[in-house]
Coordinates of all heavy atoms in Angstrom, one line a residue:
Chain A
Y165 N -11.6 -9.7 -41.0 CA -12.0 -8.6 -41.9 C -11.4 -8.8 -43.3 O -11.8 -8.0 -44.2 CB -11.6 -7.3 -41.3 CG -12.5 -6.9 -40.2 CD1 -12.1 -7.2 -38.9 CD2 -13.8 -6.4 -40.4 CE1 -12.9 -7.0 -37.8 CE2 -14.6 -6.2 -39.3 CZ -14.2 -6.4 -38.0 OH -15.0 -6.2 -37.0
R168 N -12.4 -14.9 -46.4 CA -13.7 -15.5 -46.6 C -14.2 -16.1 -45.3 O -15.4 -15.9 -45.0 CB -13.5 -16.6 -47.7 CG -14.6 -17.1 -48.4 CD -14.2 -18.0 -49.5 NE -15.1 -19.2 -49.5 CZ -16.3 -19.1 -50.1 NH1 -16.7 -18.0 -50.7 NH2 -17.1 -20.1 -50.2
L171 N -15.5 -13.4 -43.2 CA -16.8 -12.9 -43.7 C -17.9 -13.8 -43.2 O -18.9 -13.3 -42.7 CB -16.8 -12.8 -45.2 CG -18.0 -12.2 -45.9 CD1 -18.1 -10.7 -45.7 CD2 -18.0 -12.6 -47.4
A172 N -17.7 -15.1 -43.3 CA -18.7 -16.0 -42.8 C -18.9 -15.9 -41.3 O -20.1 -15.8 -40.8 CB -18.3 -17.4 -43.1
R174 N -18.5 -13.3 -39.4 CA -19.2 -12.0 -39.1 C -20.6 -12.1 -39.5 O -21.5 -11.6 -38.8 CB -18.5 -10.8 -39.7 CG -17.2 -10.5 -39.0 CD -16.5 -9.2 -39.6 NE -16.1 -9.5 -40.9 CZ -16.3 -8.6 -42.0 NH1 -16.8 -7.5 -41.8 NH2 -15.9 -9.0 -43.2
A175 N -20.8 -12.7 -40.7 CA -22.2 -12.9 -41.2 C -23.1 -13.7 -40.2 O -24.2 -13.2 -39.8 CB -22.2 -13.5 -42.5
Q178 N -23.9 -11.7 -37.1 CA -24.8 -10.5 -37.2 C -26.2 -10.9 -37.6 O -27.2 -10.2 -37.2 CB -24.2 -9.5 -38.3 CG -22.9 -8.9 -37.8 CD -22.3 -8.1 -38.9 OE1 -22.9 -7.5 -39.7 NE2 -21.0 -7.9 -38.8
Q179 N -26.4 -11.9 -38.4 CA -27.7 -12.3 -38.9 C -27.6 -13.7 -39.4 O -27.3 -14.0 -40.5 CB -28.0 -11.3 -40.1 CG -29.4 -10.7 -40.0 CD -30.5 -11.7 -39.6 OE1 -30.5 -12.8 -40.1 NE2 -31.3 -11.3 -38.7
V181 N -29.8 -16.1 -39.9 CA -30.7 -16.6 -41.0 C -30.2 -16.1 -42.4 O -30.1 -16.9 -43.3 CB -32.2 -16.1 -40.8 CG1 -33.1 -16.4 -42.0 CG2 -32.8 -16.7 -39.5
A182 N -29.9 -14.8 -42.5 CA -29.4 -14.3 -43.7 C -28.1 -15.0 -44.1 O -27.9 -15.3 -45.3 CB -29.2 -12.8 -43.6
A183 N -27.3 -15.3 -43.1 CA -26.0 -16.0 -43.4 C -26.3 -17.4 -44.1 O -25.7 -17.7 -45.1 CB -25.2 -16.3 -42.1
R184 N -27.3 -18.1 -43.6 CA -27.7 -19.4 -44.2 C -28.2 -19.1 -45.6 O -27.9 -19.9 -46.5 CB -28.8 -20.0 -43.3 CG -28.2 -20.6 -42.0 CD -29.3 -21.0 -41.1 NE -30.1 -22.1 -41.5 CZ -31.2 -22.6 -41.0 NH1 -31.7 -21.9 -40.0 NH2 -31.8 -23.6 -41.4
L185 N -29.0 -18.1 -45.8 CA -29.5 -17.8 -47.1 C -28.4 -17.4 -48.1 O -28.6 -17.6 -49.3 CB -30.6 -16.6 -47.0 CG -31.8 -16.9 -46.3 CD1 -32.7 -15.6 -46.2 CD2 -32.7 -18.0 -47.0
C186 N -27.3 -17.0 -47.6 CA -26.2 -16.7 -48.5 C -25.4 -17.9 -48.7 O -24.4 -17.9 -49.5 CB -25.3 -15.6 -47.8 SG -26.0 -14.0 -47.8
G187 N -25.7 -19.0 -48.1 CA -25.0 -20.3 -48.4 C -23.9 -20.5 -47.4 O -23.0 -21.3 -47.6
I188 N -24.0 -19.9 -46.2 CA -22.9 -20.1 -45.2 C -23.4 -21.1 -44.2 O -24.5 -21.1 -43.7 CB -22.7 -18.7 -44.5 CG1 -22.1 -17.7 -45.4 CG2 -21.7 -19.0 -43.3 CD1 -22.0 -16.3 -44.9
D189 N -22.6 -22.1 -44.0 CA -22.9 -23.2 -43.1 C -22.6 -22.7 -41.6 O -21.5 -22.5 -41.2 CB -22.0 -24.4 -43.4 CG -22.3 -25.6 -42.5 OD1 -22.8 -25.5 -41.4 OD2 -22.2 -26.8 -43.1
S291 N -23.6 -1.8 -28.5 CA -24.0 -1.7 -29.9 C -24.8 -0.5 -30.2 O -25.7 -0.1 -29.4 CB -24.7 -3.0 -30.3 OG -25.8 -3.2 -29.4
A292 N -24.4 0.2 -31.2 CA -25.1 1.4 -31.6 C -26.3 1.1 -32.6 O -27.3 1.7 -32.6 CB -24.2 2.4 -32.3
I293 N -26.1 0.0 -33.3 CA -27.2 -0.4 -34.3 C -28.0 -1.5 -33.7 O -27.4 -2.5 -33.2 CB -26.6 -0.8 -35.6 CG1 -25.6 0.3 -36.2 CG2 -27.6 -1.2 -36.6 CD1 -24.7 -0.2 -37.3
R295 N -30.1 -4.9 -33.5 CA -30.1 -6.1 -34.4 C -31.5 -6.5 -34.6 O -32.4 -6.3 -33.8 CB -29.3 -7.2 -33.7 CG -27.9 -6.8 -33.5 CD -27.1 -8.0 -33.0 NE -25.7 -7.5 -32.8 CZ -24.7 -8.3 -32.6 NH1 -24.9 -9.5 -32.4 NH2 -23.5 -7.8 -32.4
D296 N -31.7 -7.1 -35.8 CA -33.0 -7.6 -36.1 C -33.4 -8.8 -35.3 O -32.5 -9.6 -35.1 CB -33.1 -8.0 -37.6 CG -33.1 -6.8 -38.5 OD1 -33.9 -5.9 -38.2 OD2 -32.3 -6.7 -39.5
Chain B
A48 N -36.6 -22.3 -49.3 CA -35.2 -21.9 -49.2 C -34.4 -22.8 -48.4 O -33.1 -22.7 -48.3 CB -35.1 -20.4 -48.7
G49 N -35.0 -23.7 -47.7 CA -34.3 -24.7 -46.9 C -34.0 -24.2 -45.5 O -33.2 -24.9 -44.8
I50 N -34.6 -23.1 -45.1 CA -34.4 -22.7 -43.7 C -35.2 -23.6 -42.7 O -34.7 -23.9 -41.6 CB -34.8 -21.2 -43.5 CG1 -33.9 -20.3 -44.4 CG2 -34.8 -20.8 -42.1 CD1 -32.5 -20.1 -43.9
A70 N -30.4 -25.0 -46.5 CA -30.3 -23.7 -47.2 C -29.0 -23.5 -48.0 O -29.0 -22.9 -49.1 CB -30.4 -22.5 -46.2
V71 N -27.9 -23.9 -47.4 CA -26.6 -23.8 -48.0 C -26.6 -24.4 -49.5 O -26.0 -23.8 -50.4 CB -25.5 -24.5 -47.2 CG1 -24.2 -24.5 -47.9 CG2 -25.4 -23.9 -45.8
V74 N -29.3 -22.5 -52.1 CA -28.8 -21.2 -52.7 C -27.8 -21.5 -53.8 O -27.8 -20.9 -54.9 CB -28.4 -20.2 -51.7 CG1 -27.1 -20.6 -50.9 CG2 -28.1 -18.9 -52.4
L80 N -33.3 -16.3 -51.7 CA -34.4 -15.6 -51.0 C -34.0 -14.3 -50.5 O -33.0 -14.1 -49.8 CB -34.9 -16.5 -49.8 CG -35.9 -15.9 -48.8 CD1 -37.2 -15.4 -49.5 CD2 -36.2 -16.9 -47.7
P82 N -35.1 -12.1 -47.8 CA -36.1 -12.3 -46.7 C -36.9 -11.1 -46.3 O -36.5 -10.0 -46.5 CB -35.1 -12.8 -45.6 CG -33.8 -12.1 -45.8 CD -33.7 -12.0 -47.3
L86 N -33.1 -8.2 -43.4 CA -32.1 -9.0 -42.7 C -30.7 -8.7 -43.3 O -29.9 -9.7 -43.6 CB -32.4 -10.5 -42.7 CG -33.7 -10.9 -42.2 CD1 -33.7 -12.5 -42.0 CD2 -34.0 -10.3 -40.8
V87 N -30.3 -7.5 -43.5 CA -29.0 -7.2 -44.0 C -28.0 -7.4 -42.8 O -28.5 -7.5 -41.7 CB -28.9 -5.7 -44.5 CG1 -29.7 -5.5 -45.7 CG2 -29.2 -4.7 -43.4
F88 N -26.7 -7.5 -43.1 CA -25.8 -7.7 -42.0 C -25.4 -6.3 -41.5 O -24.7 -5.5 -42.2 CB -24.5 -8.4 -42.5 CG -24.8 -9.8 -43.1 CD1 -24.6 -10.0 -44.4 CD2 -25.2 -10.8 -42.2 CE1 -24.9 -11.3 -44.9 CE2 -25.5 -12.1 -42.7 CZ -25.3 -12.3 -44.1
P89 N -25.9 -5.9 -40.3 CA -25.9 -4.5 -39.9 C -24.5 -3.9 -39.8 O -24.3 -2.7 -40.0 CB -26.7 -4.5 -38.6 CG -26.7 -5.9 -38.1 CD -26.6 -6.8 -39.3
Y90 N -23.6 -4.7 -39.3 CA -22.2 -4.2 -39.0 C -21.3 -4.4 -40.2 O -20.1 -4.3 -40.0 CB -21.7 -4.8 -37.7 CG -22.5 -4.4 -36.5 CD1 -23.5 -5.2 -36.0 CD2 -22.2 -3.2 -35.9 CE1 -24.2 -4.8 -34.9 CE2 -22.9 -2.8 -34.8 CZ -23.9 -3.6 -34.3 OH -24.6 -3.2 -33.2
M91 N -21.8 -4.8 -41.3 CA -20.9 -4.9 -42.5 C -21.2 -3.8 -43.4 O -22.4 -3.3 -43.4 CB -21.2 -6.2 -43.2 CG -20.6 -7.5 -42.6 SD -20.9 -8.8 -43.8 CE -20.7 -10.2 -42.7
E95 N -19.5 -5.4 -48.5 CA -19.4 -6.7 -47.9 C -20.7 -7.5 -47.9 O -20.7 -8.7 -48.1 CB -18.9 -6.5 -46.4 CG -17.4 -6.2 -46.3 CD -17.0 -6.0 -44.9 OE1 -17.7 -5.3 -44.1 OE2 -16.0 -6.6 -44.5
A99 N -21.0 -11.1 -49.4 CA -21.6 -12.3 -48.7 C -22.6 -13.0 -49.5 O -22.7 -14.2 -49.4 CB -22.2 -11.8 -47.4
G100 N -23.4 -12.3 -50.3 CA -24.4 -12.9 -51.1 C -23.9 -13.9 -52.1 O -24.6 -14.8 -52.6
Y102 N -21.4 -15.9 -51.5 CA -20.6 -16.8 -50.7 C -20.6 -18.2 -51.3 O -19.6 -18.9 -51.3 CB -21.0 -16.8 -49.3 CG -20.0 -17.5 -48.4 CD1 -19.0 -16.8 -47.8 CD2 -20.2 -18.8 -48.1 CE1 -18.1 -17.4 -47.0 CE2 -19.3 -19.5 -47.2 CZ -18.2 -18.8 -46.7 OH -17.3 -19.4 -45.9
A103 N -21.8 -18.6 -51.7 CA -22.0 -20.0 -52.1 C -21.4 -20.3 -53.5 O -21.3 -21.5 -53.9 CB -23.5 -20.4 -52.1
L132 N -22.0 1.3 -43.1 CA -22.5 0.1 -42.5 C -24.0 -0.1 -42.9 O -24.8 0.9 -42.8 CB -22.4 0.2 -40.9 CG -21.0 0.2 -40.4 CD1 -21.1 0.1 -38.9 CD2 -20.2 -1.0 -40.9
G134 N -26.5 -1.3 -41.4 CA -27.5 -1.0 -40.4 C -27.8 0.5 -40.3 O -28.8 0.8 -39.7
R148 N -28.0 -8.3 -52.7 CA -27.4 -9.5 -52.2 C -27.9 -10.8 -52.7 O -27.2 -11.7 -53.0 CB -27.5 -9.4 -50.6 CG -26.8 -10.5 -49.9 CD -26.9 -10.3 -48.4 NE -28.3 -10.6 -48.0 CZ -28.8 -10.4 -46.8 NH1 -28.0 -9.9 -45.8 NH2 -30.1 -10.6 -46.5

Side-chain angles (χ1 to χ4, degrees):
Chain A
Y165 289 94
R168 195 175 142 77
L171 184 71
R174 286 182 296 137
Q178 292 175 27
Q179 229 314 317
V181 172
R184 289 167 69 191
L185 292 173
C186 288
I188 296 167
D189 185 328
S291 53
I293 306 167
R295 296 185 180 189
D296 285 312
Chain B
I50 295 288
V71 174
V74 63
L80 169 60
L86 308 188
V87 295
F88 301 114
Y90 294 96
M91 284 188 199
E95 282 180 313
Y102 192 87
L132 294 186
R148 187 178 63 187

